[in-house]
Every structure is written in C-alpha cells, then in structure tokens.
C-alpha cells in the first residue's frame, strides 16, 4: 500500500504498538507518512494520486464537477481516455487499446500498481461482458453475490422463493403499519436490525436495484421508531431479494429494442457532439402519485382512522436513461403535501431537472453531451407538462419559487424540455407504487 507523505502542517504523534523491538518505554513516534486509519488519510492519498494523474507525464484532466473523474487525450489522434477513482481502486477505459497501454505504463513508472485486466468486480458490482458475432458488446452489471450475502445476514437463506414476488406486501402499505408502544429496551433490538439490514439494502438500491428504491425510502423513514410490523416488511424485502438476486442492468451497444417497444420512444439514438463524434442521448422520465401510498384514502366501507400528515405526502421518482439503459434513479416522499396531482408531478419534474443538470455538468466536462441541446424530460401528467411550458392556472399560482426552476431551465438556459408520455409507458411509474 502506498503511503503518501504527511504534510508538515499535520504533525501526528503515535504510540508504538505493544512489543515493538525498536522502541523503549515511554517512546512515541512522529509520523512522516500517512497511515491507513488516520482521519485525513483518504485526503492525503487523493492529493497524491490526483497530482500524478494530472502531471505532464500522464496528462489527464480532472473533471470540474466530479473530482474523482479524470479524462483526456493521451495520444495525439487517438480516442479520449476516461478514469473513475474510488479511494485506491479505479476503472478506466478507452476505445483504443494503445491508449490504455500508454496509461498503464505511465502510471506504473510513478507508483506500484496492479492492473487486473478487464473489469469483472468493482465495489461489489459484477461485470459480465457478452460479445456478439456482429461486433456488438453487451455489459450486464449485477450484485448477485452481495444480494445473497444480505439474504444470509437476514437469516432468510432457507426462505421460500417465488418469481411473482414484489418488494411490497400486498394490502399492507408501509405507511399504514401501526405504531406499537414499547419500552426503549425492547425497541433497541428492532432499531439495530432495521438500520443494519436497510443499510445493506441501500447499497443494492444505489448500485443496480432500482426496483428497491421506493420500498427502501419508505422503510428508512421509520428507522428511529420502528414497530415489529416494519421489521416484517424488511424481511419481506429480503425474501423478494432471494427470489430476484440475479437481477441487474444491461448496457448494450445495439439498440435496446425491447425497452423501446415498451415505452414507444428511442432511448439510445446517437446525437452529434461539437467535436464531430457522437454520443448516446440523455433522457429523463419522472412520475409522482398523489396522496397515500395506496393512492386512496380509507373508504367508507372500512373503519375510520386518522390519516397522518406523512402518509398523505406524495411519492415522486425519476430515472435517467443513456444508451438505452438506466444510469441514475431517485425516489422520495415530497416534503410538503401537494394540493393536486398536477402539483405533485411538478415537484417530481423539478427533482428530475436537478439530476439532469448534475449529469449535464459532468458529461459536458467529458465532452459526452452537446450542451446546446436541451435534455428531454417525459412526464405523464398533461397539466404538469403545460405548466412547465408556462401555461398557468389559478390552481397553480401558489407553487413555490423552487419549482419555477423548471421553467427557468426550459426557457432561459435551454437545459431541459418537458414532454408528455402516456402513463402506461412511463418507466418512472415503478417508483410511485
């Protein structure tokens, strides 16, 4: 492990380990280099590796909007090179093998580094590469091994499986699980299990399992005061995970015809870039429900009960596609109750706009998007689409200034364009159920 030098301004004194043969009693060491475990050790390592990567010998540039992404043209007349750094692990790519070999040689001359060949595992993600006879390449990314370890940790290795399971228990919305009066001592084990299990599920949600995003968001809001019913809901997610551990994402260099036939929109059309090359198009889809998770208040045929404020807040979500595959998704409960479905959809469009602006910044730095063209956001609520395009009604005059950022992004900065899509064809609909 490479230990970067410790800055003079961060003098650190440590006690030698017990039994050290070269240190006497009451002896202390002043560190010259950073050690793994120091609070600022990650910063010291990043400062060292980033200086090496941007040095003239290697010649990469640091992305302005993501300091862990590096890119550049290493060889004249050759395709660009891209690298993503995560502490002391990284993945890199160029469409020309000569460029990759040049980088490997240049970095090896600076530090000791092991190049593991084609990416197979990275941060718990498994990469399966499928090369067709026609020259197309598919990459399937999954977390099957990690998902199975989560199931085992939850004690559900012998649970029954079913291909028809969903993350939700039918007829038991999370927000309607009743609270239970318990002592702090009795509730402590519930809190520990909820936080531990949901923490593991969270990594799946962020990696490849967008189908778990909504149920994770709902259950995570109950980690401070859970009841046994909430823990049962987490166990149901574990059983669903056991049944679907092999699910993942597919990235392909060919047209994703199966997905296009479902949503009726081409998702991986190549768009021209200012440098003369092309890149897949970035597209966003957003959706929101209105009211409780089950989309209906208690009917007159059921015993009346008090509906909580949190329960009536809308759930919104969005998903970004590039190259015919999802690259980012997010779902959460809105912070304030919406007065109409149109208002909840406007808030969902605002959240999608923020994510698109983030990706446009990063992709713009990398030269992988034409910033002169607006990125399309599809929404299945006609009122929200019309409102985004400045059509206003009395019922929407109360909308917050924050949501007006959507209009600004459309009409002033030309960053997004909001269009209508049929609800049955909206991929983001998965986040609102």
């Amino acid at each position: 492990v490479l230990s970067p030098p410790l800055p003079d301004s961060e003098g650190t004194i440590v006690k030698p380990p017990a039994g050290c043969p070269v240190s006497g009693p009451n002896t202390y060491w002043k560190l010259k280099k950073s050690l793994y475990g120091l609070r600022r050790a990650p910063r010291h390592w990043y400062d060292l590796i980033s200086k090496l990567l941007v040095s003239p010998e290697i010649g990469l540039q640091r992305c302005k909007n993501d300091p862990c992404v590096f890119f550049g043209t290493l060889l004249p007349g050759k395709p660009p090179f891209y690298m993503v750094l995560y502490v002391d692990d990284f993945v890199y790519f160029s469409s020309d093998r000569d460029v990759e070999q040049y980088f490997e040689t240049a970095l090896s001359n600076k530090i000791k580094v092991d190049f593991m060949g084609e990416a197979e595992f990275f941060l718990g993600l498994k990469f399966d590469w499928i090369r067709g006879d026609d020259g197309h390449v598919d990459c399937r990314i999954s977390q099957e091994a990690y998902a199975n370890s989560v199931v085992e940790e939850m004690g559900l290795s012998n649970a029954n499986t079913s291909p028809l399971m969903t993350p939700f228990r039918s007829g038991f919305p999370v927000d309607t699980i009743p609270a239970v009066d318990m002592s702090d001592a009795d509730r402590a084990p519930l809190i520990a299990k909820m936080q531990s299990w949901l923490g593991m599920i969270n990594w799946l949600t962020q990696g490849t399992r967008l189908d778990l995003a909504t149920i994770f968001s709902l259950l995570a809001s109950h980690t401070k005061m859970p009841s046994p019913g909430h823990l049962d809901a987490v166990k149901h997610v574990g059983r669903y995970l056991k049944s679907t551990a092999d699910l993942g994402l597919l990235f392909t260099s060919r047209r994703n015809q199966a997905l296009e036939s479902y949503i009726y929109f081409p998702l991986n059309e190549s768009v021209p870039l200012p440098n003369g090359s092309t890149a897949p198009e970035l597209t966003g889809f957003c959706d929101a429900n209105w009211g409780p998770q089950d989309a209906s208040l208690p009917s007159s045929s059921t015993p009346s009960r008090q509906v909580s404020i949190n329960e009536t807040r809308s759930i919104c979500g969005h998903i970004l596609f590039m190259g015919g595959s999802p690259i980012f998704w997010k779902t959460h409960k809105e912070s304030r109750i919406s007065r109409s479905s149109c208002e909840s959809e406007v808030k969902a469009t605002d959240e999608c706009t923020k994510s698109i602006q983030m990706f446009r910044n990063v992709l713009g730095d990398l030269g992988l998007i034409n910033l002169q063209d607006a990125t399309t956001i599809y929404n299945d609520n006609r009122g929200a689409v019309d409102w985004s395009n400045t059509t206003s009604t009395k019922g929407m005059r109360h909308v917050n200034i924050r949501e007006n950022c959507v209009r600004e992004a459309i009409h002033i900065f030309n960053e997004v364009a909001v269009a209508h899509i049929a609800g049955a064809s909206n991929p983001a609909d998965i986040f609102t159920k």
Side-chain angles (χ1 to χ4, degrees):
V1 177
L2 182 63
S3 297
L6 199 63
D8 295 335
S9 60
E10 299 182 25
T12 303
I13 306 297
V14 298
K15 188 175 183 179
C20 179
V22 296
S23 299
N26 300 323
T27 301
Y28 293 87
W29 292 346
K30 180 179 180 181
L31 295 182
K32 293 183 178 180
K33 293 187 175 183
S34 180
L35 290 180
Y36 181 83
L38 292 181
R39 180 172 297 179
R40 287 182 55 82
R43 163 59 66 178
H44 301 151
W45 163 249
Y46 176 80
D47 289 341
L48 174 63
I49 189 64
S50 61
K51 287 179 182 178
L52 294 177
L53 294 174
V54 301
S55 64
E57 292 81 1
I58 298 180
L60 293 177
Q61 303 177 52
R62 181 165 37 201
C63 178
K64 297 177 182 178
N65 291 280
D66 192 330
C68 292
V69 177
F70 297 82
F71 66 99
T73 302
L74 303 185
L75 296 176
K78 294 289 187 177
F81 175 89
Y82 304 97
M83 172 184 169
V84 178
L85 178 69
Y86 187 88
V87 192
D88 57 352
D89 295 320
F90 59 87
V91 289
Y92 56 96
F93 168 78
S94 175
S95 58
D96 192 310
R97 180 55 185 159
D98 292 339
V99 177
E100 295 178 341
Q101 290 177 339
Y102 174 85
F103 168 76
E104 294 168 0
T105 301
L107 187 60
S108 297
N109 292 335
K110 293 289 185 179
I111 58 175
K112 182 181 179 181
V113 57
D114 294 326
F115 293 99
M116 311 302 292
E118 193 173 73
E120 295 182 358
F121 287 93
F122 184 69
L123 303 181
L125 305 177
K126 182 184 179 183
F127 295 77
D128 292 312
W129 302 90
I130 305 101
R131 291 173 171 81
D133 297 334
D134 56 359
H136 285 286
V137 178
D138 296 342
C139 179
R140 185 178 182 276
I141 305 177
S142 64
Q143 296 172 278
E144 182 175 0
Y146 181 77
N148 288 327
S149 68
V150 173
V151 173
E152 183 177 355
E153 182 68 22
M154 297 174 69
L156 299 173
S157 299
N158 297 322
N160 295 329
T161 61
S162 170
L164 303 179
M165 287 189 70
T166 71
F168 300 93
R169 293 183 298 171
S170 178
F172 295 92
V174 173
D175 287 338
T176 62
I177 296 176
V180 177
D181 188 16
M182 304 172 63
S183 66
D184 291 343
D186 292 336
R187 199 183 300 274
L190 287 179
I191 295 176
K193 285 186 177 181
M194 282 277 293
Q195 293 179 348
S196 175
W197 292 351
L198 287 176
M200 293 185 291
I201 294 173
N202 185 31
W203 185 241
L204 290 166
T205 302
Q206 295 185 37
T208 60
R209 299 300 299 269
L210 61 161
D211 54 327
L212 299 176
T214 300
I215 186 64
F216 168 79
S217 178
L218 293 171
L219 288 171
S221 64
H222 296 279
T223 52
K224 287 188 177 180
M225 292 289 290
S227 68
H230 294 112
L231 194 65
D232 290 340
V234 179
K235 289 180 179 179
H236 180 82
V237 176
R239 286 188 285 270
Y240 167 76
L241 196 57
K242 186 175 189 300
S243 302
T244 59
D246 60 340
L247 292 184
L249 304 178
L250 178 67
F251 294 84
T252 177
S253 61
R254 59 169 62 87
R255 295 181 66 92
N256 197 329
Q257 296 178 348
L259 188 59
E260 288 180 13
S261 64
Y262 171 70
I263 66 169
Y264 311 112
F265 284 94
L267 291 178
N268 55 351
E269 290 282 2
S270 294
V271 294
L273 300 178
N275 60 9
S277 61
T278 61
E281 185 176 10
L282 178 67
T283 310
F285 297 84
C286 62
D287 197 14
N289 72 344
W290 184 45
Q293 181 189 348
D294 59 356
S296 62
L297 293 172
S299 63
S300 57
S301 61
T302 59
S304 61
R305 64 180 180 86
Q306 183 176 1
V307 181
S308 66
I309 291 178
N310 182 66
E311 186 178 342
T312 52
R313 288 174 179 157
S314 301
I315 304 172
C316 71
H318 62 268
I319 183 170
L320 305 186
F321 282 86
M322 194 170 187
S325 298
I327 61 172
F328 181 81
W329 52 88
K330 180 181 179 181
T331 180
H332 70 283
K333 276 209 168 187
E334 295 172 354
S335 58
R336 190 168 183 173
I337 297 174
S338 297
R339 291 177 172 85
S340 65
S341 60
C342 178
E343 183 178 344
S344 65
E345 297 278 5
V346 167
K347 293 177 181 178
T349 306
D350 173 64
E351 290 294 328
C352 188
T353 299
K354 289 195 297 184
S355 297
I356 283 180
Q357 288 171 331
M358 174 189 70
F359 271 89
R360 282 174 63 91
N361 290 338
V362 175
L363 295 173
D365 287 344
L366 303 179
L368 295 177
I369 193 172
N370 188 350
L371 296 177
Q372 302 302 316
D373 297 334
T375 300
T376 303
I377 298 175
Y378 291 104
N379 188 292
D380 57 17
N381 185 284
R382 179 66 71 179
V385 173
D386 292 341
W387 181 91
S388 300
N389 292 299
T390 69
T391 300
S392 187
T393 64
K394 291 182 180 180
M396 292 295 291
R397 289 178 181 174
H398 65 281
V399 170
N400 199 310
I401 292 177
R402 190 192 75 171
E403 278 71 48
N404 278 281
C405 291
V406 177
R407 290 178 168 179
E408 182 184 55
I410 294 173
H411 299 287
I412 298 180
F413 296 107
N414 193 38
E415 294 173 324
V416 300
V418 180
H420 184 261
I421 185 176
S425 304
N426 191 353
D429 186 63
I430 188 177
F431 299 125
T432 65
K433 299 295 183 286

PDB file of all heavy atoms in Angstrom, residues 131-147:
ATOM      1  N   ARG A 131     -19.893 -10.588 -26.022  1.00  0.00           N
ATOM      2  CA  ARG A 131     -19.504 -10.066 -27.335  1.00  0.00           C
ATOM      3  C   ARG A 131     -20.192 -10.883 -28.425  1.00  0.00           C
ATOM      4  O   ARG A 131     -20.035 -12.099 -28.483  1.00  0.00           O
ATOM      5  CB  ARG A 131     -17.988 -10.103 -27.502  1.00  0.00           C
ATOM      6  CG  ARG A 131     -17.265  -9.105 -26.599  1.00  0.00           C
ATOM      7  CD  ARG A 131     -15.745  -9.255 -26.647  1.00  0.00           C
ATOM      8  NE  ARG A 131     -15.090  -8.169 -25.957  1.00  0.00           N
ATOM      9  CZ  ARG A 131     -14.935  -8.098 -24.640  1.00  0.00           C
ATOM     10  NH1 ARG A 131     -15.384  -9.090 -23.886  1.00  0.00           N
ATOM     11  NH2 ARG A 131     -14.344  -7.065 -24.072  1.00  0.00           N
ATOM     12  N   GLY A 132     -20.943 -10.197 -29.273  1.00  0.00           N
ATOM     13  CA  GLY A 132     -21.661 -10.869 -30.338  1.00  0.00           C
ATOM     14  C   GLY A 132     -20.827 -11.029 -31.589  1.00  0.00           C
ATOM     15  O   GLY A 132     -19.806 -10.348 -31.779  1.00  0.00           O
ATOM     16  N   ASP A 133     -21.249 -11.936 -32.441  1.00  0.00           N
ATOM     17  CA  ASP A 133     -20.545 -12.153 -33.704  1.00  0.00           C
ATOM     18  C   ASP A 133     -20.629 -10.946 -34.626  1.00  0.00           C
ATOM     19  O   ASP A 133     -19.815 -10.783 -35.533  1.00  0.00           O
ATOM     20  CB  ASP A 133     -21.122 -13.385 -34.427  1.00  0.00           C
ATOM     21  CG  ASP A 133     -20.914 -14.668 -33.624  1.00  0.00           C
ATOM     22  OD1 ASP A 133     -19.952 -14.696 -32.822  1.00  0.00           O
ATOM     23  OD2 ASP A 133     -21.703 -15.611 -33.793  1.00  0.00           O
ATOM     24  N   ASP A 134     -21.635 -10.091 -34.394  1.00  0.00           N
ATOM     25  CA  ASP A 134     -21.795  -8.910 -35.244  1.00  0.00           C
ATOM     26  C   ASP A 134     -20.960  -7.730 -34.779  1.00  0.00           C
ATOM     27  O   ASP A 134     -21.039  -6.639 -35.338  1.00  0.00           O
ATOM     28  CB  ASP A 134     -23.267  -8.497 -35.313  1.00  0.00           C
ATOM     29  CG  ASP A 134     -23.853  -8.255 -33.916  1.00  0.00           C
ATOM     30  OD1 ASP A 134     -23.117  -8.434 -32.924  1.00  0.00           O
ATOM     31  OD2 ASP A 134     -25.045  -7.891 -33.825  1.00  0.00           O
ATOM     32  N   GLY A 135     -20.144  -7.925 -33.722  1.00  0.00           N
ATOM     33  CA  GLY A 135     -19.278  -6.860 -33.240  1.00  0.00           C
ATOM     34  C   GLY A 135     -19.856  -6.065 -32.090  1.00  0.00           C
ATOM     35  O   GLY A 135     -19.135  -5.279 -31.463  1.00  0.00           O
ATOM     36  N   HIS A 136     -21.132  -6.245 -31.776  1.00  0.00           N
ATOM     37  CA  HIS A 136     -21.742  -5.522 -30.660  1.00  0.00           C
ATOM     38  C   HIS A 136     -21.303  -6.113 -29.328  1.00  0.00           C
ATOM     39  O   HIS A 136     -21.016  -7.308 -29.224  1.00  0.00           O
ATOM     40  CB  HIS A 136     -23.260  -5.553 -30.771  1.00  0.00           C
ATOM     41  CG  HIS A 136     -23.814  -4.649 -31.823  1.00  0.00           C
ATOM     42  ND1 HIS A 136     -23.858  -3.286 -31.684  1.00  0.00           N
ATOM     43  CD2 HIS A 136     -24.336  -4.908 -33.048  1.00  0.00           C
ATOM     44  CE1 HIS A 136     -24.398  -2.737 -32.755  1.00  0.00           C
ATOM     45  NE2 HIS A 136     -24.693  -3.705 -33.609  1.00  0.00           N
ATOM     46  N   VAL A 137     -21.256  -5.261 -28.315  1.00  0.00           N
ATOM     47  CA  VAL A 137     -20.841  -5.682 -26.976  1.00  0.00           C
ATOM     48  C   VAL A 137     -21.949  -5.343 -25.990  1.00  0.00           C
ATOM     49  O   VAL A 137     -22.495  -4.235 -25.996  1.00  0.00           O
ATOM     50  CB  VAL A 137     -19.531  -4.984 -26.554  1.00  0.00           C
ATOM     51  CG1 VAL A 137     -19.145  -5.408 -25.137  1.00  0.00           C
ATOM     52  CG2 VAL A 137     -18.420  -5.303 -27.529  1.00  0.00           C
ATOM     53  N   ASP A 138     -22.301  -6.310 -25.148  1.00  0.00           N
ATOM     54  CA  ASP A 138     -23.252  -6.095 -24.057  1.00  0.00           C
ATOM     55  C   ASP A 138     -22.507  -6.220 -22.734  1.00  0.00           C
ATOM     56  O   ASP A 138     -21.611  -7.062 -22.591  1.00  0.00           O
ATOM     57  CB  ASP A 138     -24.383  -7.121 -24.092  1.00  0.00           C
ATOM     58  CG  ASP A 138     -25.239  -6.996 -25.336  1.00  0.00           C
ATOM     59  OD1 ASP A 138     -25.178  -5.926 -25.980  1.00  0.00           O
ATOM     60  OD2 ASP A 138     -25.965  -7.956 -25.665  1.00  0.00           O
ATOM     61  N   CYS A 139     -22.884  -5.390 -21.794  1.00  0.00           N
ATOM     62  CA  CYS A 139     -22.309  -5.473 -20.449  1.00  0.00           C
ATOM     63  C   CYS A 139     -23.450  -5.553 -19.450  1.00  0.00           C
ATOM     64  O   CYS A 139     -24.282  -4.642 -19.382  1.00  0.00           O
ATOM     65  CB  CYS A 139     -21.429  -4.259 -20.144  1.00  0.00           C
ATOM     66  SG  CYS A 139     -20.720  -4.285 -18.476  1.00  0.00           S
ATOM     67  N   ARG A 140     -23.480  -6.631 -18.702  1.00  0.00           N
ATOM     68  CA  ARG A 140     -24.510  -6.814 -17.676  1.00  0.00           C
ATOM     69  C   ARG A 140     -23.878  -6.593 -16.310  1.00  0.00           C
ATOM     70  O   ARG A 140     -22.886  -7.226 -15.955  1.00  0.00           O
ATOM     71  CB  ARG A 140     -25.112  -8.212 -17.753  1.00  0.00           C
ATOM     72  CG  ARG A 140     -26.267  -8.443 -16.794  1.00  0.00           C
ATOM     73  CD  ARG A 140     -26.855  -9.836 -16.955  1.00  0.00           C
ATOM     74  NE  ARG A 140     -27.991 -10.043 -16.069  1.00  0.00           N
ATOM     75  CZ  ARG A 140     -27.888 -10.411 -14.795  1.00  0.00           C
ATOM     76  NH1 ARG A 140     -26.693 -10.622 -14.261  1.00  0.00           N
ATOM     77  NH2 ARG A 140     -28.978 -10.582 -14.070  1.00  0.00           N
ATOM     78  N   ILE A 141     -24.455  -5.667 -15.538  1.00  0.00           N
ATOM     79  CA  ILE A 141     -23.942  -5.329 -14.213  1.00  0.00           C
ATOM     80  C   ILE A 141     -24.945  -5.790 -13.171  1.00  0.00           C
ATOM     81  O   ILE A 141     -26.131  -5.441 -13.243  1.00  0.00           O
ATOM     82  CB  ILE A 141     -23.698  -3.812 -14.078  1.00  0.00           C
ATOM     83  CG1 ILE A 141     -22.779  -3.319 -15.201  1.00  0.00           C
ATOM     84  CG2 ILE A 141     -23.084  -3.488 -12.727  1.00  0.00           C
ATOM     85  CD1 ILE A 141     -22.542  -1.828 -15.174  1.00  0.00           C
ATOM     86  N   SER A 142     -24.482  -6.577 -12.219  1.00  0.00           N
ATOM     87  CA  SER A 142     -25.377  -7.112 -11.192  1.00  0.00           C
ATOM     88  C   SER A 142     -24.649  -7.154  -9.855  1.00  0.00           C
ATOM     89  O   SER A 142     -23.448  -6.927  -9.767  1.00  0.00           O
ATOM     90  CB  SER A 142     -25.865  -8.517 -11.577  1.00  0.00           C
ATOM     91  OG  SER A 142     -24.774  -9.424 -11.632  1.00  0.00           O
ATOM     92  N   GLN A 143     -25.415  -7.444  -8.800  1.00  0.00           N
ATOM     93  CA  GLN A 143     -24.864  -7.572  -7.443  1.00  0.00           C
ATOM     94  C   GLN A 143     -25.362  -8.864  -6.802  1.00  0.00           C
ATOM     95  O   GLN A 143     -25.723  -8.885  -5.629  1.00  0.00           O
ATOM     96  CB  GLN A 143     -25.269  -6.362  -6.600  1.00  0.00           C
ATOM     97  CG  GLN A 143     -24.706  -5.029  -7.083  1.00  0.00           C
ATOM     98  CD  GLN A 143     -25.291  -3.843  -6.341  1.00  0.00           C
ATOM     99  OE1 GLN A 143     -26.384  -3.385  -6.666  1.00  0.00           O
ATOM    100  NE2 GLN A 143     -24.569  -3.334  -5.358  1.00  0.00           N
ATOM    101  N   GLU A 144     -25.343  -9.942  -7.570  1.00  0.00           N
ATOM    102  CA  GLU A 144     -25.926 -11.193  -7.099  1.00  0.00           C
ATOM    103  C   GLU A 144     -25.227 -11.707  -5.844  1.00  0.00           C
ATOM    104  O   GLU A 144     -25.887 -12.123  -4.877  1.00  0.00           O
ATOM    105  CB  GLU A 144     -25.860 -12.247  -8.207  1.00  0.00           C
ATOM    106  CG  GLU A 144     -26.498 -13.566  -7.820  1.00  0.00           C
ATOM    107  CD  GLU A 144     -26.526 -14.558  -8.958  1.00  0.00           C
ATOM    108  OE1 GLU A 144     -26.049 -14.216 -10.065  1.00  0.00           O
ATOM    109  OE2 GLU A 144     -27.021 -15.684  -8.748  1.00  0.00           O
ATOM    110  N   ALA A 145     -23.891 -11.704  -5.837  1.00  0.00           N
ATOM    111  CA  ALA A 145     -23.168 -12.223  -4.672  1.00  0.00           C
ATOM    112  C   ALA A 145     -23.477 -11.395  -3.431  1.00  0.00           C
ATOM    113  O   ALA A 145     -23.706 -11.944  -2.340  1.00  0.00           O
ATOM    114  CB  ALA A 145     -21.658 -12.232  -4.957  1.00  0.00           C
ATOM    115  N   TYR A 146     -23.508 -10.079  -3.587  1.00  0.00           N
ATOM    116  CA  TYR A 146     -23.805  -9.214  -2.436  1.00  0.00           C
ATOM    117  C   TYR A 146     -25.241  -9.406  -1.985  1.00  0.00           C
ATOM    118  O   TYR A 146     -25.532  -9.438  -0.778  1.00  0.00           O
ATOM    119  CB  TYR A 146     -23.548  -7.758  -2.804  1.00  0.00           C
ATOM    120  CG  TYR A 146     -23.814  -6.801  -1.668  1.00  0.00           C
ATOM    121  CD1 TYR A 146     -22.908  -6.662  -0.619  1.00  0.00           C
ATOM    122  CD2 TYR A 146     -24.980  -6.052  -1.626  1.00  0.00           C
ATOM    123  CE1 TYR A 146     -23.154  -5.795   0.428  1.00  0.00           C
ATOM    124  CE2 TYR A 146     -25.243  -5.186  -0.585  1.00  0.00           C
ATOM    125  CZ  TYR A 146     -24.325  -5.058   0.448  1.00  0.00           C
ATOM    126  OH  TYR A 146     -24.577  -4.208   1.488  1.00  0.00           O
ATOM    127  N   ALA A 147     -26.172  -9.546  -2.939  1.00  0.00           N
ATOM    128  CA  ALA A 147     -27.570  -9.754  -2.582  1.00  0.00           C
ATOM    129  C   ALA A 147     -27.739 -11.043  -1.778  1.00  0.00           C
ATOM    130  O   ALA A 147     -28.482 -11.077  -0.786  1.00  0.00           O
ATOM    131  CB  ALA A 147     -28.430  -9.792  -3.845  1.00  0.00           C
TER     132      ALA A 147
END
